[in-house]
């Protein structure tokens, strides 16, 4: 992940022959240096901050490009300044994500089209995973189809979800760019504000594209961050990344694929049969985004000194952190809701998959711990999420949630545990993750009262009274009459 939150650094152009394209000679006009025409950002292999001219990105651009690349650079700059869409230039995001994927990962692994044998292997793994999960959860299968994606296909399929996640934050930054000027000056500064918003949309799009492209090189499915990023009902795995994931684990490729298929299929069951869950999670992200405040003092300073010929000023301000979460009770509550919701999803999947895999896979314990550490180490998913919406996740709650779901399984069985997904108000809270036994005990009492109330409502009459209660009620009516 780049250390420049909103820098834009264009990776090399995607080769015409896809994933097998080879790096060109830098002196030919298509190499690693000139292919980063704007020079903003520290992507590995793309110029970065250590490259010549990195302190003066535009000088580096104009000083090193040949006439052909110089024309392309001006064309890109014109596209940025003429962009009139939403808060993020998603066309640019998609382009850069695809180019990042084509560049390959740091370990030299290139993307590749998925062959027929790999597609068949993924379909069979998901089919078997669904059979195993039938014993571990009361939720039926949620995967109508099983697909094997290349990294580029993952980018294409998940961009709509990223748009939904990122736009709320980007909208706040874009609006702030116009709000910092006095009202009487805003009319006169219209073209300047429009230019700044176009630049801001391009910078967001560039960073998002780079982040999504890097993440595409490491995810193994469509639900790695606990959110449904792909189309509904489609279980997806990435064979090239699964092979890289299991390379040094000492576990057979078939077992690694099957275990990851269990996780993907479990996520699909949850999101397919808990209809409110997706909107609940995305709503929690948006609620958190509403509490993000823009550093207007910093933005005012940038606007006052903004020079259209030096757009890197706006870039520098954004990369230094233009927005921060508000330190208010409402914002803390929004953060707790989001973290807890994500932890409950991941914890449930962890518990269910372990129950299904433990009796059948000798490597179940090792694979479970590997994936837990991958999340807890602040891996790519957490870093990308934090970069894109300004949110630091705390994966430690995954273990807490997994323990709570295991306790619920022991106390109530599979059906009783999964019944909690019927409504968001029935789910554990952040404090319940600290005391799972207390939640199990307390909620058992609450459910008995709820069942009584539901039974009374279904009967359509008054609550059934015991004989003594009926006598007391009659006596009370007589007293009232007297």
């Amino acid at each position: 992940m780049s250390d420049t939150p909103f820098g834009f650094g264009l990776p090399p152009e995607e080769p015409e022959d896809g994933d097998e394209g080879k790096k060109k000679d830098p002196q030919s006009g298509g190499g690693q240096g000139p292919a980063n025409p704007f020079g903003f950002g520290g992507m590995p292999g793309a110029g970065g901050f250590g490259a010549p001219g990195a302190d003066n990105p535009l000088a580096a651009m104009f000083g090193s490009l040949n006439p052909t690349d110089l024309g392309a650079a001006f064309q890109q700059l014109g596209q940025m300044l003429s962009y009139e869409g939403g808060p993020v230039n998603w066309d640019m995001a998609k382009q850069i994500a695809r180019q990042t994927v084509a560049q390959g990962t740091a370990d030299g692994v290139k993307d590749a089209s998925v062959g027929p044998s790999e597609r068949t292997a993924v379909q069979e793994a998901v089919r078997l995973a669904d059979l195993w999960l039938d014993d571990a959860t009361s939720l039926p299968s949620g995967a109508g189809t099983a697909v094997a994606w290349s990294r580029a296909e993952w980018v294409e399929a998940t961009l709509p979800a990223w748009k939904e996640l990122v736009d709320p934050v980007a909208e706040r930054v874009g609006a702030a760019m116009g709000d910092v000027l006095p009202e009487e000056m805003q009319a006169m500064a219209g073209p300047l504000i429009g230019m700044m918003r176009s630049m801001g949309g391009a910078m967001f799009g560039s960073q998002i594209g780079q982040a999504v492209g890097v993440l595409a090189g490491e995810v193994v499915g469509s639900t790695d961050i606990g959110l449904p990023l792909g189309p509904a009902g489609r279980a997806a795995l990435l064979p090239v990344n699964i092979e890289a994931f299991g390379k040094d684990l000492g576990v057979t490729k078939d077992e690694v694929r099957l275990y990851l298929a269990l996780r993907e299929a479990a996520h699909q069951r949850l999101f397919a049969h808990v209809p409110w869950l997706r909107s609940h999670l995305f709503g929690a992200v948006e609620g958190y985004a509403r509490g993000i405040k823009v550093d207007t003092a910093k933005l005012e300073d940038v606007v006052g000194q903004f020079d259209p010929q030096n757009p890197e000023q706006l870039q520098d301000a954004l990369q230094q952190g233009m927005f921060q979460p508000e330190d208010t009770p409402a914002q803390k509550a929004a953060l707790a809701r989001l973290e807890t919701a994500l932890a409950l999803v991941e914890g449930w999947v962890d518990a269910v998959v372990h129950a299904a895999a433990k009796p059948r896979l000798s490597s179940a314990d090792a694979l479970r711990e590997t994936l837990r550490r991958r999340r807890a180490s602040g891996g790519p998913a957490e870093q990308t999420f934090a970069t894109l919406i300004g949110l630091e996740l705390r994966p430690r709650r995954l273990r807490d949630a997994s323990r709570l779901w295991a306790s619920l399984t022991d106390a109530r069985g599979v059906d009783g545990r999964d019944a909690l997904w019927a409504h968001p108000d029935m789910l554990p809270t952040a404090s319940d993750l600290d005391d799972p036994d207390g939640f199990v005990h307390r909620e058992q009492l609450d459910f008995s009262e709820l069942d009584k109330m539901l039974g009374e409502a279904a009967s359509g009459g008054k609550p059934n009274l015991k004989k003594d209660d009926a006598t007391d009620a009659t006596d009370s009516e007589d007293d009232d009459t007297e």
Side-chain angles (χ1 to χ4, degrees):
M1 182 59 55
S2 170
D3 293 328
T4 57
F6 296 101
F8 51 91
L10 294 177
E13 291 189 5
E14 191 172 3
E16 293 181 359
D17 57 347
D19 310 305
E20 301 302 324
K22 298 183 181 298
K23 298 180 180 179
K24 300 178 182 179
D25 185 353
Q27 300 301 322
S28 67
Q32 295 295 322
N36 184 7
F38 295 104
F40 291 73
M43 271 193 61
F49 290 114
D55 293 334
N56 188 350
L58 294 181
M61 176 181 73
F62 293 118
S64 62
L65 295 182
N66 62 33
T68 301
D69 288 325
L70 185 60
F74 274 119
Q75 183 179 8
Q76 286 277 4
L77 185 59
Q79 290 174 355
M80 288 193 298
L81 296 179
S82 62
Y83 174 72
E84 296 180 352
V88 176
N89 188 331
W90 287 103
D91 292 336
M92 177 173 285
K94 177 180 176 180
Q95 176 189 6
I96 293 179
R98 291 293 301 265
Q99 290 172 341
T100 304
V101 164
Q103 191 180 34
T105 53
D107 57 3
V109 177
K110 293 282 189 177
D111 192 18
S113 299
V114 180
S117 61
E118 292 175 316
R119 295 187 187 279
T120 300
V122 167
Q123 291 169 354
E124 292 178 349
V126 172
R127 189 180 302 115
L128 181 57
D130 259 334
L131 289 175
W132 289 5
L133 288 171
D134 284 339
D135 297 331
T137 174
S138 62
L139 300 180
S141 174
T145 57
V147 295
W149 283 341
S150 66
R151 293 166 179 170
E153 288 173 321
W154 183 90
V155 168
E156 295 279 354
T158 61
L159 272 180
W162 288 118
K163 185 178 189 298
E164 191 173 348
L165 288 167
V166 175
D167 272 352
V169 175
E171 183 68 42
R172 292 185 63 85
V173 176
M177 289 181 176
D179 294 340
V180 296
L181 288 177
E183 186 174 351
E184 61 274 12
M185 294 181 59
Q186 290 187 14
M188 295 185 296
L192 174 61
I193 297 302
M195 182 183 297
M196 291 183 64
R197 287 181 174 173
S198 295
M199 291 294 296
M203 292 172 186
F204 266 106
S206 176
Q207 173 58 22
I208 291 163
Q210 182 178 327
V212 170
V214 172
L215 187 57
E218 303 187 31
V219 294
V220 294
S222 70
T223 55
D224 277 27
I225 67 171
L227 294 172
L229 296 179
R234 188 175 299 175
L237 295 176
L238 282 72
V240 66
N241 291 353
I242 290 176
E243 184 171 354
F245 171 81
K247 183 178 180 182
D248 299 319
L249 297 181
V251 180
T252 66
K253 182 178 179 179
D254 289 342
E255 285 201 15
V256 172
R257 183 194 302 113
L258 182 52
Y259 192 87
L260 296 176
L262 281 166
R263 289 183 53 82
E264 179 73 10
H267 277 104
Q268 294 296 332
R269 289 185 179 224
L270 194 58
F271 290 120
H273 299 291
V274 183
W276 54 266
L277 182 56
R278 186 186 191 279
S279 60
H280 179 75
L281 287 169
F282 280 67
V285 173
E286 185 174 356
Y288 180 82
R290 283 196 300 268
I292 289 179
K293 62 181 180 180
V294 178
D295 189 341
T296 55
K298 181 182 295 183
L299 194 55
E300 286 174 357
D301 183 62
V302 173
V303 171
Q305 302 179 29
F306 181 68
D307 180 356
Q309 296 183 7
N310 292 287
E312 72 271 18
Q313 291 178 349
L314 185 58
Q315 144 69 23
D316 292 340
L318 289 173
Q319 84 173 45
Q320 292 170 11
M322 186 62 72
F323 55 89
Q324 297 293 334
E326 291 182 350
D327 188 18
T328 64
Q331 181 69 348
K332 291 178 180 177
L335 176 60
R337 284 195 299 271
L338 178 56
E339 288 180 337
T340 301
L342 289 172
L344 290 174
V345 169
E346 288 294 276
W348 183 87
V349 168
D350 180 77
V352 167
V353 168
H354 185 69
K358 177 69 173 175
R360 300 175 173 97
L361 290 180
S362 59
S363 59
D365 288 333
L367 289 170
R368 183 191 200 188
E369 188 60 27
T370 298
L371 285 163
R372 281 180 165 187
R373 290 181 178 179
R374 189 173 186 242
R375 292 298 305 273
S377 63
E382 287 75 29
Q383 292 177 10
T384 298
F385 209 52
T387 300
L388 298 186
I389 68 169
L391 173 65
E392 293 285 349
L393 295 179
R394 290 181 292 174
R396 65 181 178 81
R397 304 304 286 175
L398 164 62
R399 293 179 183 268
D400 299 332
S402 183
R403 283 194 294 268
L404 185 144
W405 289 119
S407 297
L408 285 169
T409 306
D410 293 340
R412 303 183 195 174
V414 168
D415 291 343
R417 177 201 66 201
D418 293 345
L420 288 176
W421 291 106
H423 192 276
D425 291 344
M426 298 167 66
L427 289 177
T429 64
S431 60
D432 293 325
L433 295 180
D434 298 324
D435 183 21
D437 293 334
F439 173 81
V440 171
H441 178 70
R442 182 176 67 255
E443 286 296 311
Q444 279 181 314
L445 297 177
D446 291 343
F447 272 109
S448 65
E449 293 297 322
L450 179 61
D451 290 340
K452 180 180 177 181
M453 293 171 62
L454 292 175
E456 292 167 356
S459 67
K462 294 182 178 180
N464 294 326
L465 300 176
K466 296 179 182 178
K467 181 177 180 180
D468 293 342
D469 294 336
T471 302
D472 292 342
T474 303
D475 293 343
S476 176
E477 291 174 1
D478 292 341
D479 292 342
D480 293 339
T481 302
E482 295 174 359

